[in-house]
Amino acid sequence: MAVELGHFALVLALALSIVQATVPLVGARVKSYQLMRVGETVAIAGFLLILVSFTTLVHGYIVSDFSILNVWENSHSAKPMLFKITGTWGNHEGSMLLWVMILAFFAAMVAVFGRNLPPSLRANVIAVQGMVAVAFLLFILFTSNPFTRIIPAPIEGKDLNPLLQDIGLAIHPPLLYLGYVGFSISFSFAVAALIEGRIDAAWARWVRPWTLLAWAFLTGGIAMGSYWAYYELGWGGFWFWDPVENASFLPWLAGTALLHSAIVMEKRSALKIWTVLLAILTFSLSLMGTFLVRSGVLTSVHAFATDPARGVFILIILLLFIGGSLALFGLRASSLTSGGLFHPISREGALVLNNLILSTCTATVLIGTLYPLLIEALTGEKISVGAPFFNLTFIPLVVPLLLAVPFGPLLAWKRGDLLGAAQRLQFAFGAVLVVMIGTYFFSDKTSTAAALGLGLGFWLIFGALTDIAFKAGVGKNSLSVVFSRLKGLPLSVFGTAFAHAGIGLTVIGLVSVTTLQIERIVLMKPNDVVEAGGYTLKFSGVTPFKGPNFTEDQARFDLTGPDGRRLGEIAAAKRLYPARGMPTTEAGIRTFGLSQLYVSIGEATPNGLVVHAWWKPRVTLIWIGALVMMFGGGLSLCDRRLRVGAPTRRKTAVEAEA
């Protein structure tokens, strides 16, 4: 009975979404305040219904109700409870239900927290969100119903993909979807503004918090996915330039450009056309990522579905929303004013440079991702575009951008002083030189790339600190005045500094692990030793182990530190899940400060066991930097100027109708 309740709630949510997509739109058109308010109530009710539906599916997984086809295909009674719950979104149907629930959640958030928006704009935003919800609810109900029954019910399930039976699945998809789907609000704001034909600085202030929220979640989602691939797949890497990885990275790049463009629009009423276009393109890239993962055009550990019919349905959704929004943009763009003027050397100019480079980076990654698919569709020939292409095209674009980042906050609006900004950064530059010289002479004299790369990372960190110090008047005022000024700075200033410093930390981690890591591949028998990064691993042997729904052979290694002191054991394993008959590789990882010793095993041979050991210096900074970026985004969201939105004149219902 609970299953039918979940299915019925989903059908009711579709009916309410149709109302949400039409009635507020009509109300805004005829200036009816009552009709516009309908959208708010319906958006909240629709979210609650989808929440009921999703909770019902989670309950089916918890109780192992194998009469539900989705549960039978992706669960097992012996699976640990955490993985039963996370298995709800570890498959195509369940993940799409989570996708739509988050979409409805953001619409409800606008209805609840968007009271300061003009009624017509709020109504149009909620209506556009309703249109997207209608499309994806139809997709779920007609091609991806998670509540399909099996009669008679099987006794046991087929189990979840073993790669997804991990704590990372509990965190990575929800965070990623909050980012992916969160950009739908920016899209809805852009389309709503185009419908009204009015875009101004107030619009930019309203759209910024939603964009920032989605960007922060997407940053965390990408970082968690990278860490999951790093420790779960046993390959020792953190980014493969996999097309599905790129599909999440593309909206992050475009969303970062959108954040900076919206700042210029809010402060100077400039870049209006470009900001609206970016809002459309960012969510369009999110939709494209959804298509790549679920259409069957890609084969990847990240891909959910291989049914071409589903791909065709999503492709139609893409054409409707991307094509429709761009057509509306084309009709309205000529009527939009260009906004304020500014000198190339100014904060606006720095943000424009940021946008140009980020947009070029987005185009580069997009071409590298789609080109193989296009060639295969046209010629049937399969080609691969991998890390060499992206490293040769993406990195040379990003480095100049990162070099310019510390200058931006130190330049004045409208007309800046580049020489003055450079003088304020002289201490940061000096500190970076010390880091580079120290890295070259005391870390690795053969790696100039390591010295330059680490210098770039510290340049971002010291640049962020310089911005805070300059705004607080360090060196010009007494300590008490400095603290007073620090307390008076807007939280968004600290948020920006943390975000830029977080990028610097990630750069340091990336450069350290790619230029300074030590790799060993050896064939080992019991009592053999291998050394990596000053640490010694002594192979003790292989012991069997039985888990709740798997068996594994654990290779155990005695770990000795550089000083000869025993530090315990590291265990790496080959695991087998009998229900699926699928093996996995479980890496052994030991963290020392910011660095890690990483051990993975291959197949056993008559001559011994293949052991792969890495020493990865400062590798954890890759993901710590992402957390710092998220923290910076959270700080900026707490800024009162973003929380209250643009000041608007209060209107009564009668005034709004008039």
Side-chain angles (χ1 to χ4, degrees):
M1 183 62 186
V3 178
E4 284 67 33
L5 174 64
H7 191 187
F8 183 60
L10 210 56
V11 175
L12 282 180
L14 172 61
L16 288 181
S17 295
I18 295 173
V19 175
Q20 178 185 336
T22 53
V23 174
L25 202 63
V26 173
R29 185 72 177 174
V30 301
K31 310 295 183 187
S32 170
Y33 187 73
Q34 285 77 13
L35 291 179
M36 287 189 281
R37 288 296 302 272
V38 167
E40 301 170 25
T41 305
V42 170
I44 296 170
F47 164 67
L48 293 176
L49 284 170
I50 298 175
L51 178 62
V52 168
S53 181
F54 184 77
T55 304
T56 301
L57 185 61
V58 173
H59 177 265
Y61 272 86
I62 290 174
V63 301
S64 297
D65 184 355
F66 298 124
S67 69
I68 306 173
L69 176 63
N70 183 259
V71 177
W72 173 69
E73 289 180 335
N74 300 283
S75 192
H76 192 279
S77 59
K79 195 167 62 172
M81 180 57 68
L82 174 64
F83 301 151
K84 286 184 178 181
I85 296 172
T86 59
T88 307
W89 54 81
N91 58 87
H92 168 71
E93 292 83 1
S95 64
M96 278 309 305
L97 187 56
L98 176 64
W99 201 100
V100 174
M101 185 179 74
I102 293 174
L103 181 75
F105 169 73
F106 276 103
M109 289 273 286
V110 173
V112 173
F113 297 107
R115 302 293 182 181
N116 61 315
L117 298 174
S120 60
L121 178 62
R122 183 172 67 245
N124 285 328
V125 169
I126 291 174
V128 176
Q129 285 288 114
M131 294 175 194
V132 180
V134 168
F136 279 95
L137 284 170
L138 287 172
F139 172 72
I140 290 175
L141 289 170
F142 285 103
T143 72
S144 310
N145 187 355
F147 298 107
T148 303
R149 286 279 199 180
I150 306 177
I151 300 175
I155 296 175
E156 190 53 85
K158 296 170 67 176
D159 207 2
L160 181 65
N161 183 339
L163 292 175
L164 302 179
Q165 295 189 38
D166 183 80
I167 186 65
L169 186 67
I171 305 171
H172 168 52
L175 279 178
L176 197 68
Y177 290 175
L178 284 166
Y180 254 165
V181 185
F183 283 124
S184 65
I185 293 293
S186 305
F187 172 83
S188 296
F189 266 96
V191 174
L194 289 172
I195 291 172
E196 287 194 342
R198 189 183 68 183
I199 301 173
D200 51 21
W203 177 89
R205 178 173 289 191
W206 289 317
V207 81
R208 268 184 66 201
W210 302 102
T211 305
L212 185 58
L213 182 67
W215 178 87
F217 280 127
L218 187 57
T219 301
I222 293 173
M224 187 64 236
S226 167
Y227 191 62
W228 167 79
Y230 168 76
Y231 73 79
E232 179 62 25
L233 301 183
W235 62 309
F238 49 84
W239 191 262
F240 192 64
W241 291 107
D242 180 282
V244 181
E245 290 176 332
N246 295 347
S248 62
F249 191 42
L250 285 166
W252 186 89
L253 290 170
T256 305
L258 173 60
L259 270 178
H260 292 85
S261 179
I263 294 172
V264 178
M265 185 174 169
E266 177 188 345
K267 299 292 185 182
R268 299 283 301 135
S269 291
L271 304 184
K272 292 180 181 179
I273 298 174
W274 176 240
T275 305
V276 172
L277 180 60
L278 271 179
I280 293 172
L281 293 179
T282 301
F283 184 58
S284 298
L285 290 170
S286 294
L287 290 177
M288 190 199 72
T290 302
F291 169 74
L292 290 176
V293 174
R294 303 171 190 280
S295 62
V297 300
L298 294 177
T299 301
S300 165
V301 295
H302 304 85
F304 276 117
T306 57
D307 184 357
R310 292 170 175 170
V312 171
F313 202 115
I314 297 180
L315 188 59
I316 293 172
I317 293 175
L318 259 68
L319 292 174
L320 284 174
F321 287 103
I322 299 177
S325 59
L326 290 177
L328 180 60
F329 174 80
L331 290 173
R332 294 288 195 182
S334 60
S335 64
L336 300 177
T337 57
S338 58
L341 300 177
F342 52 87
H343 195 269
I345 305 299
S346 62
R347 192 175 299 186
E348 297 97 322
L351 293 172
V352 168
L353 176 66
N354 163 289
N355 267 229
L356 288 174
I357 297 178
L358 283 174
S359 300
T360 307
C361 290
T362 305
T364 301
V365 177
L366 183 63
I367 291 170
T369 304
L370 296 184
Y371 180 72
L373 304 178
L374 183 62
I375 292 297
E376 184 178 354
L378 295 177
T379 67
E381 179 185 358
K382 290 192 175 184
I383 65 171
S384 175
V385 175
F389 167 81
F390 292 105
N391 291 338
L392 286 173
T393 56
F394 186 80
I395 294 176
L397 289 170
V398 168
V399 170
L401 172 62
L402 298 182
L403 288 172
V405 163
F407 286 91
L410 295 173
L411 292 172
W413 294 102
K414 197 171 182 179
R415 180 181 290 272
D417 181 4
L418 186 61
L419 180 60
Q423 289 174 340
R424 286 190 283 271
L425 286 166
Q426 60 184 339
F427 293 106
F429 183 72
V432 167
L433 280 179
V434 172
V435 169
M436 292 171 63
I437 294 171
T439 301
Y440 185 78
F441 284 102
F442 298 104
S443 181
D444 187 353
K445 292 185 180 180
T446 63
S447 182
T448 305
L452 294 174
L454 292 177
L456 179 60
F458 278 101
W459 170 247
L460 291 165
I461 295 172
F462 293 143
L465 293 175
T466 299
D467 178 41
I468 296 294
F470 173 70
K471 289 181 168 62
V474 174
K476 296 181 180 180
N477 301 305
S478 64
L479 197 59
S480 60
V481 174
V482 167
F483 277 114
S484 177
R485 293 186 65 169
L486 280 174
K487 289 192 294 183
L489 288 177
L491 287 177
S492 60
V493 172
F494 291 102
T496 299
F498 271 102
H500 291 172
I503 297 174
L505 290 173
T506 296
V507 168
I508 293 171
L510 290 171
V511 171
S512 296
V513 78
T514 53
T515 60
L516 301 176
Q517 78 172 358
I518 299 169
E519 183 177 2
R520 299 281 187 267
I521 304 176
V522 293
L523 196 63
M524 300 185 74
K525 293 180 179 180
N527 296 321
D528 286 350
V529 297
V530 62
E531 186 271 336
Y535 293 86
T536 302
L537 293 165
K538 182 180 179 181
F539 182 33
S540 302
V542 177
T543 57
F545 177 81
K546 182 174 177 58
N549 62 332
F550 64 85
T551 59
E552 68 180 19
D553 291 325
Q554 290 184 353
R556 309 193 75 84
F557 302 85
D558 283 322
L559 177 62
T560 304
D563 57 358
R565 185 166 55 92
R566 188 177 183 275
L567 300 176
E569 283 189 331
I570 290 182
K574 283 289 185 181
R575 183 176 291 182
L576 177 68
Y577 290 78
R580 285 258 178 174
M582 182 175 173
T584 63
T585 299
E586 303 297 318
I589 302 174
R590 178 69 66 86
T591 302
F592 299 95
L594 299 173
S595 304
Q596 289 185 334
L597 186 64
Y598 188 110
V599 183
S600 178
I601 61 173
E603 298 298 328
T605 70
N607 297 321
L609 183 70
V610 177
V611 177
H612 206 156
W614 289 270
W615 171 249
K616 295 181 172 293
R618 294 179 286 276
V619 66
T620 56
L621 285 178
I622 296 173
W623 305 292
I624 291 174
L627 293 177
V628 172
M629 282 187 264
M630 284 188 71
F631 179 73
L635 272 182
S636 294
L637 282 171
C638 293
D639 193 311
R640 184 177 179 275
R641 295 176 302 172
L642 286 184
R643 284 188 286 109
V644 300
T648 55
R649 183 171 62 89
R650 288 186 171 274
K651 295 184 179 181
T652 64
V654 176
E655 287 176 330
E657 276 192 325

